[in-house]
Amino acid sequence: MNTTAQPLRRHLLALSVAVIAGTGFATSAWAGEVEVLHWWTSGGEAKAASALKATLQAKGHTWKDFAVAGGGGDSAMTVLKSRVVSGNAPAAAQIKGPSLQEWAREGVLANMDDVAKAEKWDELLPKVVSDGMKYQGHYIAAPVNVHRVNWLWANPEAFKKAGAKVPTNWDEFFVAAEALKKAGIIPVAHGGQNWQDFTTFESVALGVGGVDFYKKALVQLDPATLKSDTMVKVLTTFKRVKGYTDKNAPGRDWNLATAMVIKGEAGMQLMGDWAKGEFIAAGKVPGKDFVCAAAPGTAKAFTFNVDSFALFKLKNDANVKAQKDLASAILSPAFQELFNLNKGSIPVRLGMDMGKFDDCAKLSSTDFVATAKSGGLVPSIAHGMAVPSAAEGAIKDAISAFWNSDKMTVPDAVAKLVAAARTK
């Protein structure tokens, strides 16, 4: 959802008039039905959705899929808004980050405190995650998984050929990139889309500036930090990375960039852990055929992207019970394990047995737990977790403009960034 609270409120009011005038009042749903808006349609995700469906059916409920194709989710959000204002909301919808708060401000989300208290969600979730699932101190959503964004993926054969080592900081990154280039290998696989540019940028910001800088600059959008000497260093380092990408990068999808690393055409890629699914699908083994390491300088930090379900207010008592059983099932150990084994992400629930997970997931889980305690667990701005959608879009555009321009100076980029952060 790409709207801030005020436009959403106006849109809901306008839609309420149109829906009531055009379609009449909604009919009541079947008893014990849980209707879920989700995007779990790929192979592994579809298996996970089926498991959740089976769990609900075992409790006697009916599962109903609600998905609207097209528009990158925009069409689904439009239909969701019309359903909500007509008094016919689904039980749950896949919504994440600050957008959860936008919906909660409309007064349309259900209070899940009784489930959360019974299941001890406050103890099972890191505070930075549980805070995002709450509005005014009350749970209004259930988190499903955690994707780590600040990963570096590398092809060990390419590094061996270049006589280079996988970098742990940005100085080492450029040494490795230069060695790969001399060996005739594209150093950095990249796709030219603004979210990919920003995924790289936030890893540079975290690795160069550290956790406190990242929080002030990219979560709090503090003007002084955005104008700081550290930001100048971050932007300079970020632009330097561009020189090690290939001329065909613009417009390339992220998975095609991952394929370049898999084939050894490129040495490394900065991308979230969904990239791991591409390596696994290609029959590659972590630690042998590919390396997963924290992005340079970020080993003690973790930028997270958490998928979650907003839970809407329902009127039918049986459906409310089904909805609460859904919320409970989402955070159950069995579902957390099955879903995340299929998705390539890790459980959001702390204290999970990671025995069935691969080495990359085990490293991710270890770092997730450690950073939850140390304060190094931070939301990814590139993936909709940190700031309202309008500001996020403007900041992404500013960073991509700098990445793609041969003429824009670092001071110009700073000015654009500061202006973008003020977008409401």
Side-chain angles (χ1 to χ4, degrees):
M1 187 174 68
N2 298 320
T3 51
T4 51
Q6 283 301 115
L8 174 59
R9 186 171 289 113
R10 286 196 296 271
H11 194 49
L12 283 168
L13 287 170
L15 273 169
S16 65
V17 176
V19 169
I20 292 168
T23 62
F25 294 100
T27 55
S28 60
W30 295 339
E33 178 181 271
V34 58
E35 187 176 13
V36 183
L37 169 60
H38 68 85
W39 313 113
W40 295 342
T41 54
S42 71
E45 293 169 337
K47 282 183 192 171
S50 296
L52 194 56
K53 177 179 179 180
T55 302
L56 271 292
Q57 287 175 331
K59 291 179 180 285
H61 303 305
T62 303
W63 173 284
K64 186 177 178 185
D65 267 359
F66 167 32
V68 180
D74 290 342
S75 301
M77 286 299 110
T78 301
V79 174
L80 177 62
K81 287 169 193 170
S82 68
R83 287 280 305 272
V84 171
V85 298
S86 70
N88 186 27
Q94 201 167 342
I95 299 169
K96 68 178 184 178
S99 291
L100 288 169
Q101 314 305 315
E102 293 173 10
W103 280 98
R105 278 193 286 274
E106 301 305 320
V108 296
L109 299 186
N111 184 322
M112 286 287 131
D113 285 351
D114 53 347
V115 177
K117 190 174 181 183
E119 306 277 338
K120 298 187 167 79
W121 287 7
D122 276 347
E123 295 168 35
L124 293 175
L125 300 170
K127 188 173 185 300
V128 69
V129 174
S130 63
D131 283 351
M133 301 299 126
K134 294 176 182 177
Y135 178 67
Q136 295 181 343
H138 302 290
Y139 278 98
I140 43 85
V144 182
N145 64 341
V146 181
H147 280 292
R148 187 181 197 172
V149 180
N150 60 313
W151 279 114
L152 176 77
W153 305 93
N155 183 311
E157 281 300 312
F159 270 75
K160 188 176 175 184
K161 184 179 173 186
K165 68 170 191 145
V166 176
T168 60
N169 59 47
W170 286 102
D171 287 340
E172 290 177 2
F173 178 90
F174 293 115
V175 170
E178 197 58 37
L180 287 161
K181 187 178 179 181
K182 283 179 181 168
I185 299 163
I186 296 163
V188 182
H190 187 75
Q193 295 162 331
N194 72 357
W195 70 268
Q196 293 191 63
D197 298 341
F198 208 93
T199 295
T200 298
F201 175 76
E202 73 178 21
S203 283
V204 174
L206 191 60
V208 171
V211 169
D212 288 343
F213 168 81
Y214 180 95
K215 286 178 182 174
K216 282 180 187 170
L218 299 181
V219 180
Q220 298 162 18
L221 303 181
D222 174 59
T225 309
L226 290 170
K227 296 176 194 169
S228 66
D229 290 343
T230 304
M231 182 56 81
V232 168
K233 189 177 179 187
V234 167
L235 286 162
T236 304
T237 306
F238 171 65
K239 194 60 176 279
R240 196 175 163 196
V241 174
K242 172 84 184 295
Y244 292 100
T245 62
D246 67 305
K247 67 181 189 321
N248 296 320
R252 179 187 288 141
D253 285 335
W254 68 269
N255 56 313
L256 298 180
T258 307
M260 292 165 64
V261 180
I262 292 171
K263 294 171 189 169
E265 293 169 8
M268 47 189 167
Q269 180 187 22
L270 291 152
M271 186 53 61
D273 55 19
W274 45 91
K276 182 180 72 176
E278 299 296 307
F279 286 97
I280 302 296
K284 304 301 182 184
V285 179
K288 179 179 165 228
D289 303 314
F290 68 97
V291 175
C292 51
T298 72
K300 292 192 165 138
F302 190 118
T303 41
F304 67 82
N305 177 15
V306 172
D307 287 317
S308 56
F309 279 107
L311 301 154
F312 286 84
K313 285 181 179 175
L314 303 173
K315 291 169 186 168
N316 181 294
D317 288 344
N319 290 356
V320 169
K321 174 71 169 72
Q323 181 188 54
K324 289 182 177 180
D325 284 344
L326 172 71
S328 175
I330 285 170
L331 273 164
S332 68
F335 176 73
Q336 286 280 307
E337 179 181 83
L338 179 64
F339 177 77
N340 288 292
L341 280 170
N342 281 302
K343 184 80 161 60
S345 44
I346 62 167
V348 68
R349 179 185 171 120
L350 294 171
M352 285 284 296
D353 178 2
M354 297 295 290
K356 292 183 183 175
F357 288 81
D358 62 50
D359 289 348
C360 296
K362 285 174 181 170
L363 174 60
S364 186
S365 181
T366 299
D367 289 350
F368 177 60
V369 173
T371 55
K373 291 175 183 169
S374 70
L377 185 61
V378 292
S380 165
I381 181 172
H383 296 276
M385 299 305 303
V387 301
S389 50
E392 179 195 322
I395 291 168
K396 279 179 178 170
D397 287 346
I399 290 301
S400 280
F402 175 59
W403 176 266
N404 290 307
S405 171
D406 293 330
K407 296 177 182 174
M408 191 186 298
T409 65
V410 170
D412 289 340
V414 168
K416 265 188 172 292
L417 200 52
V418 172
R422 290 197 293 262
T423 306
K424 299 292 182 194

